[in-house]
Amino acid sequence: MQDWIDVTVAIRDGMVHWPDNPPIVVERVQDIARGDSANVTKLSLGVHTGTHVDAPVHFDSRAPGVDEIPLAALCGPARVIAIEHPHEVTIAELTAANVLAGERILLRTRNSPSAWQQSKFVEDAVHLTLEAARWLAARKVQTIGIDYLSVGGYAANNGEDVHHALLDAGVWIIEGLDLTHAPEGPCELMCLPLKIAGADGAPARAFVKPKGAHG
């Protein structure tokens, strides 16, 4: 019997991050082992760390922040699509998957789990081509999720254009998923970002339950 599958990347001290984003620091500032009355941890990180949600204001200062994202965009029926191309998500594979308007789509690529097992940032992680992003926007997909730190490519240098293609069309973005154990096919999605007023993004906890699972 299959239940909810956690597709969140754990936040760890010194974990990999987008090159120009803040480093992640997880520090125990009070420690029972040192004689303190309680354990207290200090957390320092950028909002686009690990598993996170992008808000429209990320690339448009006049657009809504993460606290204005409707939960219906991040919770409900979804579908995991396995991407076979080793470098990018293309229109050809999306067409073959018969992506429909209003769908919440999670793209499982070779990034899961290989990219997350690397100690250094993976510059050639699988990402959307600009054409694929525009194709998804034209079909009015509700939400797109991918299994590394950006829907756009670092080496391909198309991140800004891919984000604009999706966010400007009202497509919500979840990045930094680990879909290693998420089977291809329909599922239920639950993704809850931190409610940070006006922020351009927020770390999130995300789960999927494959269709037909109980619990």
Side-chain angles (χ1 to χ4, degrees):
M1 182 183 298
Q2 196 163 28
D3 206 340
W4 288 97
I5 299 169
D6 192 344
V7 293
T8 315
V9 174
I11 294 175
R12 297 182 175 87
D13 183 68
M15 71 183 290
V16 68
H17 58 87
W18 197 260
D20 64 358
N21 279 207
I24 295 85
V25 180
V26 182
E27 178 186 5
R28 183 70 63 81
V29 294
Q30 294 182 33
D31 197 323
I32 293 173
R34 298 197 301 260
D36 294 315
S37 60
N39 293 318
V40 177
T41 298
K42 177 182 177 181
L43 179 64
S44 176
L45 74 173
V47 295
H48 301 276
T49 293
T51 305
H52 66 277
V53 172
D54 280 0
V57 74
H58 187 25
F59 284 95
D60 182 353
S61 296
R62 302 162 297 177
V66 72
D67 53 324
E68 297 183 60
I69 294 178
L71 288 182
L74 304 175
C75 299
R79 183 156 57 111
V80 176
I81 295 176
I83 299 298
E84 300 298 330
H85 197 290
H87 303 298
E88 56 193 21
V89 180
T90 65
I91 292 176
E93 285 195 84
L94 295 174
T95 301
N98 192 29
V99 174
L100 302 175
E103 280 199 279
R104 303 173 185 87
I105 295 297
L106 308 177
L107 302 172
R108 192 187 72 203
T109 76
R110 69 167 171 83
N111 299 336
S112 293
S114 63
W116 291 116
Q117 294 174 347
Q118 307 304 312
S119 59
K120 296 182 179 180
F121 175 75
V122 177
E123 296 187 0
D124 64 345
V126 182
H127 59 279
L128 287 163
T129 65
L130 179 56
E131 293 75 19
R134 288 171 173 166
W135 187 93
L136 289 166
R139 277 148 187 79
K140 302 186 184 303
V141 169
Q142 182 173 191
T143 304
I144 188 76
I146 198 162
D147 53 357
Y148 202 54
L149 288 169
S150 178
V151 287
Y154 180 82
N157 195 30
N158 70 351
E160 183 174 353
D161 291 337
V162 167
H163 279 85
H164 271 298
L166 297 170
L167 294 172
D168 293 354
V171 180
W172 303 102
I173 298 173
I174 306 170
E175 296 171 326
L177 296 166
D178 183 352
L179 298 170
T180 303
H181 302 295
E184 185 174 17
C187 62
E188 287 291 320
L189 168 68
M190 180 168 56
C191 178
L192 300 175
L194 293 177
K195 191 174 184 179
I196 307 173
D200 45 278
R205 190 74 182 266
F207 302 86
V208 297
K209 181 190 286 188
K211 185 177 179 180
H214 302 284

